[in-house]
Amino acid sequence: MVDLYRLFNPRGIAIVGASREPNKIGSVILRNLIEAGYEGKIYPINPNAQEIMGLKAYPSISAVEGTVDVAVISVPAPKVPDVIEDAGKAGVKFAVVIASGFKEVGNVALEEEVVKRAKKYGMRVVGPNVFGYVYTPSKINTTFGPNDIIPGNVAFISQSGALGVALMGTASVEGLGISAIISIGNKADLDDSDFIEYLGDDPNTNLILIYMEGISEGQRFMEVASKVSLKKPIIIIKSGRSEAGARAAASHTGSLAGNYSLYKSAFRQSGILLAETIEQAFDWAKALAWNPLPKGDNVVIITNGGGAGVQATDALADYGITLRRISDTLAANLKQILPPFASLGNPIDLTGLANAEWYYQSISLALDDPNVDSLVVIYCRTGMTDPKEIAGAIKDALKSSKNRKPITVAMIGGEAEYEAMRELTREHIPTYPTPERASASMGAIYRYYYAKKYVEERLKELDKKKLTALERIR
Ligand code: COA
């Protein structure tokens, strides 16, 4: 495993190309790093400046007296090899090369030169053609993206720059807390596998989300991903599904997007969840990052709308989940608190009269029932109820139960329901505006649940085969 500890926990970071002009990329990076609250030393490097943003500027990294573990390089591509040379002499461990103008535009030799010079000094390269990286536990933001990042447990690796930056914003809107964001660009040296492997052991990360155009070392990637997906979910958005998309990926980061169905089967074998859209990836990420894993596959739907319940049932079926009847005990307990016209099947239909108390009671009973493994809770707007109160009931029921089970929620309606959805999201209860998305996200939890079991079995099989081979050698 490549030791990335000092990339994520550096003692000092140099920003090479921090400019006197506030809107140049190097300056935005410097400003973000200062504003993120990074507690190590920050060194702006610019031969033409004495001071930038109140910090002493240095003409080169080798002129810095303190320890520099990371150099973020934001000078034009032709200047990068010399900066790398200087960084290497100064003992820098990681170079994050922001500049574009390498392999993606045909400058293969320049890119190779950068890696060759870095290798000479044992330095590792992130990029080139990247927007930087974030690690919230160390209060690092060396990107030229936004700085309103919510700290949390999801690591995001992006091969695309602009999309990656934009998705930093999406993560905030979705309330998805971030541990790390890594832009890997052309992957001239460090690649997806290196980061996945490291983040697999990172205690601050419980889910890895990746935007990928292509991988080069497929075998290694599968080995690493299989190992890591036993510990935490990996969700990948793989672009280049169509032939035209694959061509676009090639001209974007110089990646070979390859045959989509090959990727699909490799991902499945490695326990990776393949998301087809960004929306799906974020939906799944919330459900998986904020829920425990289920103990079994008995999913129960609680709804106040029959139609929404049917939609949710269909969407679960798309993920291979068939609903079973609720237990007699649960039905009997629900009968005590619900009116006679409530339907005690699965979905449990509380009917349009359902109030906050009914939601609270039925969720509590379902959580306490040992036969129920997970819950999809649906609220459809009615004239008699306040979605805020329903959200409060859901929250209270989860808080007051000693049984933690996976749950996804749908709040369907207008602005008030959206507000209730945001309220639940702030509490890390994965909530969606449609029953299909709530069910699909529950489906993703089960996809991971089975993927993990499958990878465990596959690795055991592989181990057995190795053992047989060993025995034969003896
Ligand atoms: N060491 C340190 N600083 C140096 C330097 C060196 N060897 N040579 C020049 N500088 C200074 C410059 O003087 C300038 O500071 P100033 O504005 O105070 O004079 C600063 O570094 C930046 O250099 P400049 O030549 O103005 O470059 P730039 O900021 O316009 O562009 C890049 C640099 C890297 C941003 C640009 O070349 C680029 O590649 N842009 C695309 C980036 C991108 O999209 N990446 C992928 C994202 S996914």
Side-chain angles (χ1 to χ4, degrees), residues 15-21 24-27 45-49 52 58-60 73-80 82-83 97-102 104 128-132 144 159-162 165 183 185 252:
I15 310 294
V16 185
S19 163
R20 291 161 294 178
E21 284 180 38
K24 282 197 183 171
I25 285 185
S27 303
I45 311 292
N46 185 330
N48 307 309
I52 301 175
Y58 295 81
S60 63
I73 304 173
S74 183
V75 292
K79 290 188 175 176
V80 173
D82 286 347
V83 173
V97 183
I98 303 290
S100 305
F102 292 90
E104 80 284 3
N129 191 21
V130 299
F131 64 84
F144 53 89
Q159 202 174 345
S160 162
V165 171
S183 168
H252 178 211

Side-chain angles (χ1 to χ4, degrees), residues 43-310:
Y43 304 103
I45 311 292
N46 185 330
N48 307 309
Q50 302 296 316
E51 191 189 286
I52 301 175
M53 294 180 205
L55 294 172
K56 181 182 172 195
Y58 295 81
S60 63
I61 302 177
S62 41
V64 172
E65 53 279 357
T67 306
V68 181
D69 287 318
V70 174
V72 181
I73 304 173
S74 183
V75 292
K79 290 188 175 176
V80 173
D82 286 347
V83 173
I84 293 277
E85 193 77 40
D86 176 53
K89 282 184 190 144
V92 170
K93 295 185 169 53
F94 296 94
V96 180
V97 183
I98 303 290
S100 305
F102 292 90
K103 188 173 119 193
E104 80 284 3
V105 291
N107 275 339
V108 179
L110 189 63
E111 186 161 310
E112 285 172 355
E113 182 62 22
V114 165
V115 178
K116 199 174 106 195
R117 292 210 195 180
K119 270 212 173 117
K120 208 166 67 181
Y121 297 100
M123 187 178 11
R124 304 306 301 256
V125 178
V126 182
N129 191 21
V130 299
F131 64 84
Y133 75 106
V134 167
Y135 190 60
T136 54
S138 300
K139 299 183 186 161
I140 292 173
N141 180 355
T142 70
T143 72
F144 53 89
N147 217 349
D148 58 341
I149 299 160
I150 307 169
N153 300 104
V154 174
F156 175 45
I157 301 172
S158 179
Q159 202 174 345
S160 162
L163 188 59
V165 171
L167 293 183
M168 284 167 76
T170 310
S172 291
V173 172
E174 293 282 342
L176 201 62
I178 294 290
S179 57
I181 299 172
I182 302 136
S183 168
I184 51 176
N186 294 6
K187 304 191 274 193
D189 178 22
L190 293 172
D191 66 7
D192 318 65
S193 305
D194 298 315
F195 286 106
I196 293 171
E197 195 169 29
Y198 183 83
L199 293 168
D201 282 342
D202 177 23
N204 300 306
T205 297
N206 66 9
L207 183 142
I208 302 171
L209 178 62
I210 303 173
Y211 168 81
M212 175 189 282
E213 295 191 343
I215 37 172
S216 43
E217 290 177 63
Q219 188 60 37
R220 170 152 185 264
F221 176 83
M222 280 179 71
E223 276 168 22
V224 168
S226 302
K227 220 171 56 183
V228 172
S229 58
L230 291 177
K231 295 183 245 183
K232 49 192 83 172
I234 303 172
I235 299 173
I236 296 188
I237 310 160
K238 167 73 182 70
S239 70
R241 255 191 303 150
S242 63
E243 251 181 57
R247 276 198 302 278
S251 68
H252 178 211
T253 49
S255 284
L256 290 175
N259 183 324
Y260 191 74
S261 59
L262 278 183
Y263 274 97
K264 215 169 167 174
S265 111
F267 287 174
R268 185 171 297 189
Q269 282 187 52
S270 319
I272 291 168
L273 307 186
L274 175 62
E276 296 213 330
T277 63
I278 289 165
E279 178 184 88
Q280 197 177 49
F282 275 83
D283 280 0
W284 291 359
K286 280 196 282 191
L288 279 152
W290 297 343
N291 271 308
L293 270 188
K295 298 214 165 66
D297 61 0
N298 192 14
V299 183
V300 169
I301 297 175
I302 296 174
T303 180
N304 67 342
V310 177

Side-chain angles (χ1 to χ4, degrees), residues 214-444:
I215 37 172
S216 43
E217 290 177 63
Q219 188 60 37
R220 170 152 185 264
F221 176 83
M222 280 179 71
E223 276 168 22
V224 168
S226 302
K227 220 171 56 183
V228 172
S229 58
L230 291 177
K231 295 183 245 183
K232 49 192 83 172
I234 303 172
I235 299 173
I236 296 188
I237 310 160
K238 167 73 182 70
S239 70
R241 255 191 303 150
S242 63
E243 251 181 57
R247 276 198 302 278
S251 68
H252 178 211
T253 49
S255 284
L256 290 175
N259 183 324
Y260 191 74
S261 59
L262 278 183
Y263 274 97
K264 215 169 167 174
S265 111
F267 287 174
R268 185 171 297 189
Q269 282 187 52
S270 319
I272 291 168
L273 307 186
L274 175 62
E276 296 213 330
T277 63
I278 289 165
E279 178 184 88
Q280 197 177 49
F282 275 83
D283 280 0
W284 291 359
K286 280 196 282 191
L288 279 152
W290 297 343
N291 271 308
L293 270 188
K295 298 214 165 66
D297 61 0
N298 192 14
V299 183
V300 169
I301 297 175
I302 296 174
T303 180
N304 67 342
V310 177
Q311 284 300 101
T313 306
D314 277 347
L316 282 172
D318 289 341
Y319 283 75
I321 298 166
T322 312
L323 297 182
R324 301 205 286 271
R325 279 201 67 79
I326 59 170
S327 68
D328 291 344
T329 324
L330 180 56
N333 287 337
L334 285 166
K335 226 178 192 160
Q336 307 283 322
I337 54 150
L338 296 176
F341 47 84
S343 163
L344 303 180
N346 188 8
I348 298 167
D349 188 352
L350 308 176
T351 75
L353 275 184
N355 57 29
E357 183 59 20
W358 295 4
Y359 270 97
Y360 177 84
Q361 295 279 5
S362 46
I363 295 169
S364 300
L365 287 171
L367 287 173
D368 289 346
D369 186 315
N371 298 303
V372 176
D373 295 309
S374 330
L375 283 176
V376 176
V377 176
I378 298 167
Y379 167 77
C380 298
R381 171 186 215 158
T382 70
M384 297 81 73
T385 43
D386 178 354
K388 240 189 188 165
E389 282 179 15
I390 305 294
I394 296 171
K395 212 165 59 183
D396 291 347
L398 291 176
K399 264 198 191 130
S400 58
S401 172
K402 55 187 186 314
N403 300 311
R404 277 202 78 215
K405 295 178 182 177
I407 182 168
T408 59
V409 178
M411 296 298 266
I412 312 158
E415 189 47 48
E417 285 70 27
Y418 259 86
E419 194 33 60
M421 179 174 81
R422 284 185 210 109
E423 162 86 31
L424 288 173
T425 301
R426 278 192 287 274
E427 299 287 326
H428 285 185
I429 299 166
T431 307
Y432 308 88
T434 66
E436 296 86 359
R437 285 171 65 183
S439 275
S441 303
M442 179 56 73

